[in-house]
Amino acid sequence: MKFLSIGERTPPNHKYPYSCLLEYYLWGNTTYTYAPLAYNPQTNEKEIADDVITVGEYVVFATRDTRTGHAPVNLRISDTNCVLALASHINEQWQFLLPDYENVYGEIRLLPLGDIPFFIMAYTVFNSSNSQYYLCVHLIYLTGLLNGNNYIVSHEIELEKKCSDLVDLIYEPMVQAIVVLLNGEGVSALYHISPSSNATDMIVKLDYTDGNFYSIDTAGSDSYSNEVLYMAMGDNVIFLQNISNGINITQSCLEIKGILYTLREPPIINHIKAPLTFFSDDQVYDYIIDDAFDFYGTRICNEVQAK
């Protein structure tokens, strides 16, 4: 059983921790392989891994890069059979060339769409030409990208600065709906998006103004047999939302707003060599005993408030 992840560690003969891509096995192999991404401590120019997913037989890493000659948004992609190896495509970057007036704000997030060879890449940008924040959402056809066809459908959502930190996103295949969570200072916003959209559409936004949600997930089919739900979790709140009709939400405990999901010009892709150096080290196993605890609360509409 192979695991692919991102993390930080200090390579041999270096003083500072580097952002790394990691590959390891649960059984059999006592060592693991890791690849530090570029980092210059003097100038602080570096490549940082933000997220990783698997799409079919491939692994996709999302990275941000501040080095000269590199784009701020990149993908590193490899067949899962041969990831951290000299001959792997992991030694290449698929660079997303953004306009000069757009600066990436926060981390990049990836989302696989079930068994189909499509995935979502999302990030927020600050547009200096109009002093506005946007959420950028790209639907990417992996096979086309690998073949140089660059089939991408791109949208943007205008954001309020007070709630522009991209936190998480999930996909519910039963109703073909994506939910995106963004945070601000004491506020959160949930956007409901159709992944198949290829035009400018109206989508639904839910505003939460009593704190922050820190994670979202599908609720599972066993909880409510006739409903499709997702949950958002905060400091002491679990919020449940019915999305049985997909993104067409008609009832919620939170304020429902219609938001424009604007089609935008997809980015130009530049495919370059960006070789990595690979290291290995011994795995250390640490057995952690989980302490179970009971959670009691009072359900208020679609919220569970902890006592």
Side-chain angles (χ1 to χ4, degrees):
M1 186 178 290
K2 179 183 290 187
F3 289 83
L4 298 155
S5 65
I6 59 176
E8 281 191 349
R9 66 157 297 161
T10 304
N13 304 319
H14 289 76
K15 296 181 180 179
Y16 305 96
Y18 285 50
S19 181
C20 295
L21 314 182
L22 299 100
E23 179 180 13
Y24 47 98
Y25 291 85
L26 182 60
W27 297 291
N29 245 341
T30 58
T31 61
Y32 69 96
T33 306
Y34 66 97
L37 301 178
Y39 174 43
N40 186 332
Q42 281 70 44
T43 63
N44 204 36
E45 293 181 322
K46 55 189 170 183
E47 184 180 7
I48 306 169
D50 279 342
D51 208 352
V52 55
I53 59 172
T54 55
V55 182
E57 304 268 331
Y58 289 85
V59 59
V60 181
F61 293 91
T63 72
R64 285 173 291 134
D65 206 328
T66 60
R67 294 175 293 165
T68 302
H70 293 263
V73 175
N74 305 275
L75 296 177
R76 288 183 180 267
I77 306 169
S78 174
D79 188 309
T80 53
N81 291 316
C82 181
V83 182
L84 300 189
L86 291 176
S88 169
H89 289 297
I90 208 69
N91 287 287
E92 303 169 12
Q93 281 183 337
W94 280 261
Q95 299 181 325
F96 285 64
L97 305 182
L98 305 185
D100 293 338
Y101 51 81
E102 285 189 347
N103 297 301
V104 177
Y105 178 77
E107 297 184 354
I108 306 167
R109 290 288 175 260
L110 301 174
L111 180 68
L113 299 179
D115 297 328
I116 59 177
F118 286 84
F119 66 97
I120 296 291
M121 179 171 70
Y123 51 86
T124 58
V125 296
F126 175 72
N127 186 323
S128 59
S129 68
N130 60 2
S131 299
Q132 182 63 55
Y133 290 85
Y134 293 91
L135 172 66
C136 299
V137 181
H138 305 293
L139 173 65
I140 302 172
Y141 178 44
L142 178 60
T143 305
L145 188 66
L146 294 173
N147 292 333
N149 297 329
N150 299 344
Y151 176 77
I152 299 174
V153 179
S154 299
H155 288 83
E156 66 184 18
I157 301 170
E158 187 173 314
L159 303 175
E160 297 179 7
K161 180 182 178 181
K162 67 178 183 179
C163 192
S164 52
D165 293 323
L166 176 59
V167 178
D168 203 0
L169 60 164
I170 58 172
Y171 173 59
E172 177 46 72
M174 291 181 63
V175 291
Q176 299 283 298
I178 292 172
V179 183
V180 183
L181 169 63
L182 285 96
N183 274 350
E185 180 117 8
V187 295
S188 292
L190 296 160
Y191 295 86
H192 301 76
I193 297 169
S194 171
S196 60
S197 172
N198 59 4
T200 294
D201 296 318
M202 292 298 294
I203 61 172
V204 166
K205 173 191 177 190
L206 301 181
D207 285 321
Y208 181 69
T209 58
D210 295 328
N212 285 125
F213 293 135
Y214 299 117
S215 179
I216 52 177
D217 203 352
T218 53
S221 58
D222 295 333
S223 301
Y224 296 85
S225 58
N226 297 320
E227 296 180 348
V228 179
L229 305 167
Y230 72 86
M231 66 177 69
M233 303 187 72
D235 286 330
N236 60 350
V237 171
I238 298 177
F239 167 74
L240 296 173
Q241 178 61 50
N242 188 334
I243 52 170
S244 298
N245 295 321
I247 68 170
N248 299 312
I249 296 173
T250 57
Q251 185 176 5
S252 177
C253 294
L254 306 182
E255 181 183 1
I256 301 174
K257 293 181 179 178
I259 299 295
L260 201 60
Y261 191 50
T262 306
L263 192 69
R264 64 178 269 163
E265 194 71 24
I268 297 172
I269 308 298
N270 191 24
H271 187 191
I272 68 165
K273 297 286 185 181
L276 302 174
T277 303
F278 306 107
F279 298 89
S280 62
D281 203 348
D282 293 329
Q283 296 189 45
V284 178
Y285 296 95
D286 189 6
Y287 295 95
I288 300 173
I289 299 175
D290 289 331
D291 293 324
F293 63 92
D294 294 326
F295 181 89
Y296 296 97
T298 302
R299 180 166 179 165
I300 306 171
C301 193
N302 283 346
E303 291 181 333
V304 179
Q305 179 73 43
K307 293 181 178 178

